[in-house]
Structure formats: C-alpha cells, structure tokens
Amino acid sequence: MAAAVHLRPLHSLAPPLHLPFPAARSAPNWPPFPGKARARRRGSSSRLTLFVCSASTPEPSGGGKAREAAASAAARWAEWIPRTVAGGVGPEQVLRLISGAAATPVCQFVDSPRTFLHAVDPRVKLVWLLALVVLPARSNIYMRFGLVIFLALLSVWVLPNHVWKDQLGRVALLSGIIFIMLGFGSDGVPSLVQTRTPPPSVLGIPSIPCSTSGYSYTIMKLGPLQFTRKGLSVASTSASLSFAIFQSASLCLTTTTPEQLASALWWFVIPLKHIGVPVPEIILTLLLSLRFINLVFDEVRNSALAIVARRINWKMLTAMETIDIFFNYVQRIFKNIFDHSEQISKAMIARGFRGDPSNHKIYFLTESSFGIVDLFSLLCLFALMGLASFSDQLV
C-alpha cells in the first residue's frame, strides 16, 4: 500500500481525512510512504493518519511541469534585481569612482606648484573666508555669480590641473542641484488664494490691461511648477553660498598648512582666553582635525582599492551578498579610523599629554609675517566689499 505525500500534515485537517484502503492510489513521481502509519477501525469506517514532512506542494499530476514553471517564475523575478545600472555602472565601477574621488587631495595641503596664494598670510586668508561667506548673502544676483566666477578662475589659476578639474566639477554639480531644487521648490507651486475683492466687471469699472512688456513675476513654467523671481533669488543665494563655502575652504586648506591655520586662529581668539574661553583646547582640536582628514580619505581609498584588487565576480553574487560586501566595506573603514585614533591617543600619552593643553606648549613651526602680498590682498578685499555695497545702485 502506498499513499500520496502532501505539504501539510493530514492530522491537522478538520474533519479528518478518511482513506479507504482499497481506494488508495499513489501519485505519479512521488516516493511511497514507508508504511509506518497505523489505521484504527471505528465501526465500519477506517481512518489513516499520516505524518509527513515535505517541502513541495501537492500535485495530483504533472509535478515536473509545475516545478519547471516555478523555476521560470523565480528566474523572471531575479531579472528585476538590478545587477548594473544603465551605462555599465555596477558595484566595481562604484568602488573605482570612490577610490578615484578619494585619491584627489581634497582639503589637503599641496606644496607644489607654489603660487602667490601660498605666500599670503593665513590671517588674511581667514578674513577672506569670512568675507566670502557674508558677501553672497548680502549682495545682488550679479555679485553672487561674479563671486562664483572669481573663485572658479582663482581655482584654475592656483590649483594643479588634476585637482581643480575634479573639485570644480563636483562642487558645480552640487550647486547646480541646489539651484534647480530651490528654484522650482521655494515658490514653484502657486497657492490657491481666492481674493475677497470683486472682479472689475461686477463693480462696473474697466479692467486694467495686462502689461505686454516689463515686470513679470513668473520667469518660467515647467508643468505644474513655475520658476519665479522669489525662487531665483533663493536659489541663487543658496547655490552661490554653497559654492563659495566649499571652494574657498578648499583653496585655503590646499595652500595653507594646518600649523599656519592654527597659528592664525590662535592670533584671533587669544584675547578670549581672559573671559574663560578654552583657547588651547580649541587650537589642539583644530590641529588634530586637520591632520585626521587625510587619514579618513586614505582609508576610504585604500579599502575601496582592496576590494577592487580582489577581482570579485559580481555577476555570480546575489543582491544580499553584494549589500553585505558594501556593509563590510563601511565597517572596515570605521574600524581602521578608530584604530588610527587609538594610535594617536597613545602617541600623545607617550609624549606626556595628560588631557590639559594649557600645560603643554603647542609648536606651530611657523612664523607669520605681513608683506606686500598681504597688503595687496587686503586692498582687493576692501574693493570687493565696496563693490558689493554699491552694487544695487550701480545696476
């Protein structure tokens, strides 16, 4: 006697399944049950209780075709998982882009080629940084875009070719995204406002004709969105300010050593020490932060190159395995960064540091001097501030 093997245990069915012994048939392509089930007679009927453990569905006939259909359906679902994006951008290409971006000396001092900006006093550079943060927010749109063009030309002139090409492209892309989003988002959707004033036809007065030329609040329409003068003002201010902050900070850090920046900041904030401001802690934190930026970029690049060098066949991996590799990549970055932090702390303790910077002398290894280049830089800054102040009257 053979019985069919089903997905669910038959004893869980209600009412119980009655299988007469002579009528029991074996399903095709299914192995027979070992025959350990026990039948108990109650009256004139017999009941067979089967305990089965099977992972497949009950198929009275055509089990092979059903399995093939299920396999083809699973293959169709697997095709929806994105292996590579359009243009051939896959996991390995992403890691190569990360390693290439981290290879560029972002916010790192570049000693060669030496330009006039390297000779400018760091205190003058800090004043310029403050002015470039304030001016885009306090000037008109022509002045904002003028500052952006000025910083772009200065970056092309001062930075090496492989540095400014990479930095300007990324900063310009970020500023462009900010400009488009705020331009259409700040005042993009017109508000549904119903005026309480009756129309001119009801009052019996002639309506004022629309002006065919002159002032227009709406500049451009894109479907339900509109680009207005308010959106242009907000977008130009935010995009110009973002470009000025990122690129001016990059120019300052590329042409100035961390010790020079710490020395310039010390010169500005040392009077605050008399009112209880922890100036030594601030300066030491700045020095450690500027030194730590290089370690972060190096770890990001080295970890990405380590994965690329192993030549992983990404097409053979599932989506979860690919995600697991990227999680391990991020985990490895943080682990190496924390290891470097621990090594720095041990080195500082070995040199006698006990947590109080006021008891230790900070050697800046630099001497600031005010020269002709610094005087010319300050004159240019004053001219720029005057032009920004009178730009509304000039336009």
Side-chain angles (χ1 to χ4, degrees):
M1 182 193 67
V5 182
H6 298 277
L7 175 63
R8 295 178 296 177
L10 298 181
H11 69 273
S12 63
L13 299 176
L17 182 64
H18 298 278
L19 294 176
F21 288 101
R25 295 181 303 173
S26 61
N29 300 329
W30 286 84
F33 196 74
K36 293 184 180 180
R38 179 182 302 172
R40 293 180 298 178
R41 295 182 178 270
R42 289 186 179 180
S44 61
S45 63
S46 62
R47 185 176 60 180
L48 179 64
T49 305
L50 300 179
F51 296 89
V52 295
C53 295
S54 177
S56 56
T57 58
E59 298 174 1
S61 62
K65 295 181 179 179
R67 284 194 294 271
E68 292 178 0
S72 62
R76 287 195 299 270
W77 276 105
E79 292 177 357
W80 287 89
I81 301 176
R83 296 293 180 181
T84 57
V85 189
V89 180
E92 186 170 356
Q93 285 74 17
V94 171
L95 291 172
R96 289 181 182 273
L97 289 175
I98 292 174
S99 61
T104 305
V106 181
C107 301
Q108 300 180 20
F109 177 68
V110 178
D111 191 18
S112 178
R114 192 168 183 83
T115 60
F116 80 97
L117 204 58
H118 289 77
V120 178
D121 192 271
R123 295 170 292 182
V124 179
K125 294 179 183 178
L126 290 181
V127 175
W128 265 95
L129 287 178
L130 180 61
L132 290 175
V133 172
V134 176
L135 287 179
R138 304 294 298 176
S139 55
N140 58 10
I141 186 171
Y142 301 103
M143 195 68 191
R144 296 167 196 162
F145 290 123
L147 288 174
V148 170
I149 296 174
F150 166 72
L151 286 174
L153 294 177
L154 186 63
S155 302
V156 173
W157 184 19
V158 171
L159 300 178
N161 292 332
H162 69 281
V163 176
W164 70 260
K165 288 180 180 178
D166 187 70
Q167 289 185 5
L168 283 182
R170 290 187 173 90
V171 177
L173 177 62
L174 177 62
S175 302
I177 294 174
I178 293 175
F179 182 84
I180 294 174
M181 292 179 61
L182 292 179
F184 286 99
S186 59
D187 197 22
V189 180
S191 58
L192 299 177
V193 179
Q194 183 178 4
T195 63
R196 303 181 63 182
T197 305
S201 59
V202 176
L203 298 176
I205 58 176
S207 59
I208 302 175
C210 298
S211 176
T212 57
S213 63
Y215 180 81
S216 177
Y217 182 71
T218 302
I219 300 175
M220 183 181 63
K221 282 190 175 182
L222 185 62
L225 302 178
Q226 59 181 1
F227 194 82
T228 61
R229 292 183 178 271
K230 177 184 176 182
L232 177 62
S233 177
V234 174
S236 61
T237 302
S238 302
S240 302
L241 187 60
S242 301
F243 188 91
I245 290 175
F246 283 109
Q247 199 58 33
S248 60
S250 178
L251 280 172
C252 182
L253 293 175
T254 306
T255 59
T256 313
T257 60
E259 291 79 10
Q260 290 177 342
L261 284 177
S263 175
L265 186 62
W266 178 281
W267 188 84
F268 280 111
V269 301
I270 193 60
L272 302 178
K273 188 177 181 180
H274 301 287
I275 60 175
V277 177
V279 176
E281 286 86 347
I282 295 175
I283 301 303
L284 182 61
T285 304
L286 176 65
L287 276 174
L288 292 176
S289 302
L290 293 176
R291 290 297 184 91
F292 203 74
I293 291 175
N294 302 340
L295 296 177
V296 174
F297 280 100
D298 289 342
E299 288 301 330
V300 171
R301 178 174 179 269
N302 293 336
S303 300
L305 289 177
I307 298 178
V308 173
R310 281 162 174 78
R311 305 295 298 172
I312 300 175
N313 190 359
W314 298 96
K315 295 182 179 179
M316 300 296 294
L317 301 180
T318 61
M320 294 304 299
E321 291 173 345
T322 304
I323 294 174
D324 183 66
I325 289 177
F326 275 94
F327 271 107
N328 290 333
Y329 167 64
V330 177
Q331 181 183 2
R332 174 60 61 179
I333 290 174
F334 280 98
K335 182 181 181 301
N336 294 342
I337 288 175
F338 289 146
D339 290 343
H340 283 296
S341 303
E342 185 178 1
Q343 293 173 5
I344 291 173
S345 64
K346 289 181 179 180
M348 294 177 66
I349 293 173
R351 286 164 175 78
F353 183 76
R354 294 297 180 268
D356 188 6
S358 59
N359 296 333
H360 298 269
K361 182 176 177 57
I362 301 176
Y363 295 93
F364 298 111
L365 304 177
T366 181
E367 294 182 0
S368 300
S369 59
F370 196 83
I372 302 298
V373 180
D374 305 317
L375 180 61
F376 179 74
S377 300
L378 287 178
L379 291 177
C380 293
L381 178 60
F382 292 147
L384 183 63
M385 295 176 63
L387 183 61
S389 301
F390 295 101
S391 58
D392 295 332
Q393 301 178 4
L394 297 176
V395 177

